[in-house]
Amino acid sequence: MLDETVVPESESDVMVRRARRPGSTIELSFFMTTLGLSLTGVAISNLILYRTCVHVLRHGRAECSSFLAVDKTNDTQYLEKEVQRYAIFVNSTKSVLESLAPAVLSLFLGSWSDRHGRKPLIVWPLFGIATTSMLVLIYSMVDVGPWWFILTSVPYSLAGGVATLSTGSYSYMSDVTSTEKRTARMFTVQLAASGGVVAGSLLSAPVLRAVGAVYLLLAGASVAAFTYAFTNVFLNESLTGVVQGSMTSIMDLQLVTDMSRECFRRRPNNGRAQVLVVAAASSLSAFVTFGIMNLEYLYTREKLHWTLSEFTVYSAVNTLLSFFGGLIGMSVLQGLFKISDLPLAAVAFVSAAAEYVAKTLAVDSWHMYLGASLAIFKGLSASLLRSFVSKVLPADVVTKFLALMSAVESLCPLLAPLVYSTLYGATVSTAPASVYVLSTGIIVFCIVLIGVVLYFRRHATTPYEVLQPEPF
């Protein structure tokens, strides 16, 4: 058995052919992407509710028009449960479509990008987002049923979606940063994305009120198109000596074989178990996120009778608190007190569990804000877990393992909405908070998993010793 050894930075550079040079900033791209998506998200949800009410349930347009209102009234209260149940089914089907292709692509793209570069893994999903945003705009102008909306997700799915964008961005950060600065840089990208969510959430309701849904969706599509064009032109490739790849070169089963062999190799001191358990915790956290994502607005409409404006303000405050919580976590807990990635990830999971408990017990609006306050460290976990993986695996294995994590997490938008939507649909009349009870249980299990990895690492002499493979 080989002893754990630290791979020198220069050796890691050779492994992945790093190219640190100007043009390696992706923060603006993430800010603009999340700005466009959060700007249009709730308006799209209202549009689906309206189209479901009119085209599927056959209610009158005047009767259903309140679903499009920025300020919710009680006019559609008697329709809410019926419309929500069907709209949830539509959104779940859309989530399945958006998850299938990214899950399959992620199995190939990790090894593929080692030869053909990281930039395609970033610009392809942005192109898919831009194309889908344009199709959503067209859908809003054509009076058809909600099932046609699902077709707008095809470009997003075939371009790799969030799974490929996540793999590409975290691999890119691993290439262009040193071990010491990697966690902070990955979190900077996450902060940029959070800033876009805050800006989009705050602008959504007033822009919708001022110009209407069509022009709001036009603005979102324009932002997405600009983001793709800007990134494609100005973002430099992080690797040198890359070979131009083609779509046919991706679907090579040898790429999957290479990834599997490297990701599941035995490593010293339960190294294989360490990274796989971390990946499991990250996947379960993503499962909760994707399960709750499309239900929180419906939950607040049903239980607290919130308007769109109230929800968008809450979303902005929630993201803003997470933004400042992240800054405190990185600058104080990790920067000043030197708390390493895994213990801080455990703190993040405890913060998330406290949030879901508060929302489970919510009977008034301020309880939702209490939950958001308790969740200030919640957003740290994704960056911390990936940062940990990038530091303990050899540099030529990092992207392969991140791709494996993305492949597994790509199944979350596929499975989580089915589980959560089924549970919410069955309990919306009696116990709509049951989805938060489920979330609490899953996050508590994530805390246990992090504890297991910390137990495995109790004999590590340094926080981030590289886990070299054992000889066959």
Side-chain angles (χ1 to χ4, degrees):
M1 181 181 293
L2 296 178
D3 293 332
E4 291 181 344
T5 57
V6 178
V7 176
E9 188 65 29
S10 58
E11 183 179 341
S12 298
D13 290 350
V14 172
M15 286 180 176
V16 296
R17 308 181 304 283
R18 286 179 183 159
R20 292 192 182 96
R21 58 181 184 265
S24 61
T25 300
I26 61 175
E27 284 82 353
L28 179 60
S29 300
F30 269 73
F31 175 82
M32 297 299 291
T33 299
T34 55
L35 170 66
L37 293 175
S38 59
L39 183 68
T40 58
V42 178
I44 292 173
S45 295
N46 279 355
L47 182 62
I48 297 304
L49 290 172
Y50 172 76
R51 296 281 176 91
T52 298
C53 183
V54 172
H55 292 278
V56 177
L57 302 179
R58 301 296 182 182
H59 294 285
R61 295 182 183 276
E63 189 179 15
C64 299
S65 61
S66 293
F67 283 111
L68 296 174
V70 178
D71 299 310
K72 180 178 178 289
T73 67
N74 292 324
D75 295 345
T76 57
Q77 191 62 38
Y78 66 100
L79 295 173
E80 284 281 342
K81 292 181 177 64
E82 182 183 19
V83 172
Q84 281 195 22
R85 284 195 182 98
Y86 199 94
I88 289 170
F89 184 44
V90 174
N91 287 325
S92 298
T93 306
K94 175 175 174 286
S95 297
V96 170
L97 177 62
E98 290 178 345
S99 304
L100 288 176
V104 175
L105 284 173
S106 294
L107 296 175
F108 296 86
L109 289 176
S111 298
W112 184 89
S113 70
D114 286 338
R115 179 174 175 79
H116 301 291
R118 317 293 192 211
K119 185 175 178 178
L121 274 61
I122 298 174
V123 296
W124 288 351
L126 294 179
F127 176 76
I129 291 171
T131 306
T132 288
S133 297
M134 295 175 188
L135 292 178
V136 171
L137 172 64
I138 295 172
Y139 170 79
S140 71
M141 296 186 291
V142 180
D143 190 18
V144 293
W147 289 107
W148 287 95
F149 175 67
I150 294 175
L151 296 179
T152 65
S153 298
V154 172
Y156 171 91
S157 181
L158 294 180
V162 172
T164 299
L165 183 61
S166 174
T167 299
S169 60
Y170 282 112
S171 299
Y172 195 96
M173 288 295 98
S174 181
D175 292 343
V176 302
T177 58
S178 64
T179 301
E180 295 76 16
K181 297 180 179 179
R182 191 168 302 156
T183 303
R185 185 65 191 277
M186 287 183 175
F187 184 69
T188 301
V189 175
Q190 189 173 331
L191 285 182
S194 298
V197 172
V198 172
S201 298
L202 291 176
L203 289 172
S204 180
V207 173
L208 180 60
R209 188 180 289 109
V211 302
V214 172
Y215 285 105
L216 176 67
L217 295 175
L218 175 61
S222 300
V223 170
F226 169 80
T227 304
Y228 163 71
F230 174 85
T231 306
N232 195 37
V233 171
F234 292 105
L235 183 69
N236 289 330
E237 175 57 58
S238 64
L239 304 182
T240 58
V242 297
V243 178
Q244 184 70 31
S246 63
M247 294 300 295
T248 56
S249 67
I250 295 176
M251 307 307 291
D252 182 354
L253 291 178
Q254 185 60 42
L255 297 174
V256 182
T257 302
D258 292 343
M259 182 194 72
S260 300
R261 182 177 61 251
E262 293 296 335
C263 291
F264 292 97
R265 274 188 174 181
R266 289 177 59 87
R267 301 182 189 276
N269 297 329
N270 298 297
R272 178 173 59 182
Q274 289 182 37
V275 292
L276 291 177
V277 170
V278 165
S282 180
S283 298
L284 288 172
S285 177
F287 183 86
V288 171
T289 299
F290 284 108
I292 288 289
M293 184 182 298
N294 294 322
L295 295 179
E296 193 152 65
Y297 176 55
L298 301 180
Y299 173 75
T300 55
R301 280 181 68 102
E302 166 62 25
K303 189 169 184 180
L304 303 176
H305 310 298
W306 277 12
T307 65
L308 185 148
S309 297
E310 288 174 311
F311 182 79
T312 54
V313 170
Y314 162 77
S315 297
V317 171
N318 188 22
T319 306
L320 197 60
L321 288 171
S322 180
F323 179 90
F324 285 113
L327 286 178
I328 294 171
M330 294 303 300
S331 61
V332 178
L333 298 182
Q334 190 161 73
L336 184 60
F337 294 105
K338 306 301 180 183
I339 299 178
S340 58
D341 290 345
L342 284 183
L344 192 53
V347 172
F349 283 134
V350 170
S351 180
E355 175 199 14
Y356 295 135
V357 170
K359 291 181 177 179
T360 298
L361 303 174
V363 293
D364 204 348
S365 294
W366 71 269
H367 294 151
M368 296 295 290
Y369 285 93
L370 173 62
S373 301
L374 295 171
I376 59 172
F377 298 125
K378 170 185 171 183
L380 287 169
S381 60
S383 296
L384 290 168
L385 295 180
R386 281 171 167 77
S387 176
F388 170 80
V389 166
S390 73
K391 293 173 182 177
V392 300
L393 287 177
D396 58 338
V397 183
V398 169
T399 299
K400 296 180 179 67
F401 197 84
L402 291 177
L404 176 64
M405 291 178 68
S406 293
V408 175
E409 290 177 15
S410 295
L411 300 177
C412 294
L414 178 66
L415 300 176
L418 297 178
V419 174
Y420 274 77
S421 297
T422 301
L423 178 61
Y424 183 77
T427 60
V428 63
S429 301
T430 55
S434 57
V435 292
Y436 289 115
V437 176
L438 174 62
S439 300
T440 303
I442 293 174
I443 294 300
V444 168
F445 184 62
C446 289
I447 298 171
V448 174
L449 292 180
I450 297 301
V452 170
V453 180
L454 289 171
Y455 175 78
F456 285 151
R457 295 188 63 78
R458 69 194 185 283
H459 296 308
T461 56
T462 63
Y464 304 111
E465 292 177 319
V466 176
L467 300 166
Q468 299 287 4
E470 292 183 350
F472 291 106

